[in-house]
Each structure stands twice: as C-alpha cells, then as structure tokens.
Amino acid sequence: MLQDTEDRRGIGSVDTAMTILKVFARDSGPLSLKEVSDRTGMATSKLHRYLSSLVAQGMLSQKARSGRYDLGPFATELGLSALARTDFVNRTADVLPDLVAATGCTAMLSVWGASGPVIVRWERARNHIVTALGLGTVMPLVHSATGRVFLGFAPANLTDPLIGESDAKLIEDLKKAIRRDGYSSVGGDFIPGLYALAAPVLNWQGEAETVITLIATDPALIDPKGPIIKALIRTCRSVSLPSADADD
C-alpha cells in the first residue's frame, strides 16, 4: 500500500513539473515566480521548490539579475533532439551538403518552435561565416529571411501572435510577395554585412514544415536573376511533398 502511494506521488510530481514546463514552452520569454504561479495556480512556496529542482536539472535557468526563470540548456537539447527525429527535418538535412557544395554558401535549417522560427541544423561551407547565430537561435519573424518565409507559408494562427504592433497592410503585402516569389531575402537588415536567402519545404497543405536559409557576405546571393535562388528553390521543391508542387 505504501509503495502504491509513493508511485502515485511520483507520477503526480512529474505531472506538476510538466505543467510548469508547458507554461514556459508556450511563452516567448522569461517569467517571474509570480507569473508562473498565476498561470499554474500553484502556491509560490510549493512552486519555488519545483522551479529550483528544474533549474538544477537544466530544464530551466534563472537570470542572476532579475531572478526570472526561462527554459534551460537541457530543455534546448531535448527539443533539438526531438526535432532531429522528425522526417521533414531529416529529409531536408540530407540535401544540405549538395546545396552547400553547389552554391558555396553556408546553409541553415529552421523549423517552427514555441517562440517562432528556430535553427536546428547547420551545414557549413568551406569559407564559413562566423556569426552569433547557432543551433537553438530563434529568428525574428519580420526582419529575417527565415522568419519572413514562415510568415508567408506558415498558418496565420501560429504567426499572428508574434507579429506585434507591425502595420497590418505592410505585413499582408509582405506575405503576398513571399508566396508569389516562393522565397525571401534580406541584405544586411538583420545582421549588418550578412545577406540571407530563404525558401520553404512544404507539406501536402502547402505550408512550411522547414525552411532552408543560405547566408553569405556577397550581395550576389540575393540577386533575383542569379543561379543561387534557382538552386535553393529547386532543392526545397525536391524535398517538399508532391502535392505542394501541384499548383506550380
């Protein structure tokens, strides 16, 4: 009887921890103890013990200055590991080496995460660019080529909450242009001196499952009449589901 009680208590503890982690997964930034308490309905004294344990295990981290909590390094590792097991990520990652060899550009693969587009794979070119971007980086939705492709090809219920105060007509025009062209590019808007070109890998509904982004310091990358754009779109189409090409 005692063992049965302990088993139920153990499962209950896991359920509580998962409830707390889901709060962080659904939010876009660090949270205070009170904010987590309000969202879970847990007393702060009990909640603090759980938060401390999750920090100790690396699932959460605590900001030294503000005391606020956020997802930790092990949560990132766990999330990336799960994403790496999905078919779309693997099938897209498989074509990156050939794309990099053909274009001479470094490529990154992104998927939609809890807080927006997140980088999950890198394929470095011979002349790799040193940048602060890395695995787990969340890309801006409006100001990056990667984000803009998701903006144009991901469901609106995912992207709309992250648009913020942006002009509605400007966003709609941007979406139409991206869907019309099938890609997006930026030149030094997000990171000075760095050019980026991105296109979607589409599922059977014509929605972006993953996005491939090429980066370079040469503005020729984003030449709309250049060969690199054609190579990127051709590669993305080769791993999109067949029905995604039906309207082309």
Side-chain angles (χ1 to χ4, degrees), residues 129 186-188 191 193-197 214-222:
I129 299 168
V186 296
I191 299 177
L194 190 66
Y195 297 84
L197 176 68
L214 298 176
I215 59 174
T217 57
D218 186 349
L221 171 68
I222 61 174

Side-chain angles (χ1 to χ4, degrees), residues 92-109:
T92 307
D94 286 344
V95 303
L96 294 185
D98 287 343
L99 178 63
V100 169
T103 62
C105 300
T106 288
M108 62 187 194
L109 170 61

Side-chain angles (χ1 to χ4, degrees), residues 24-37:
F24 287 93
R26 292 165 181 165
D27 205 277
S28 58
L31 298 170
S32 68
L33 176 64
K34 184 179 184 305
E35 288 171 331
V36 182
S37 176

Side-chain angles (χ1 to χ4, degrees), residues 6 8 19 28 50 65 68 87 107 171 184 197 210 233 241 245:
E6 290 176 349
R8 288 200 301 270
T19 297
S28 58
Y50 276 94
R65 298 184 65 179
R68 297 167 75 85
D87 287 341
I171 293 297
S184 182
L197 176 68
T210 63
I233 292 177
L241 291 186
D245 293 332

Side-chain angles (χ1 to χ4, degrees), residues 52-63:
S52 297
S53 295
L54 290 169
V55 168
Q57 295 300 318
M59 291 300 293
L60 295 178
S61 62
Q62 187 174 21
K63 309 297 181 182

Side-chain angles (χ1 to χ4, degrees), residues 54-126:
L54 290 169
V55 168
Q57 295 300 318
M59 291 300 293
L60 295 178
S61 62
Q62 187 174 21
K63 309 297 181 182
R65 298 184 65 179
S66 67
R68 297 167 75 85
Y69 297 86
D70 205 348
L71 290 174
F74 185 60
T76 300
E77 181 182 344
L78 191 64
L80 292 175
S81 180
L83 288 169
R85 287 169 167 78
T86 64
D87 287 341
F88 264 104
V89 170
N90 290 329
R91 65 188 285 163
T92 307
D94 286 344
V95 303
L96 294 185
D98 287 343
L99 178 63
V100 169
T103 62
C105 300
T106 288
M108 62 187 194
L109 170 61
S110 302
V111 300
W112 188 265
S115 301
V118 58
I119 302 172
V120 295
R121 294 287 179 89
W122 275 100
E123 187 68 32
R124 292 171 170 80
R126 179 174 300 177

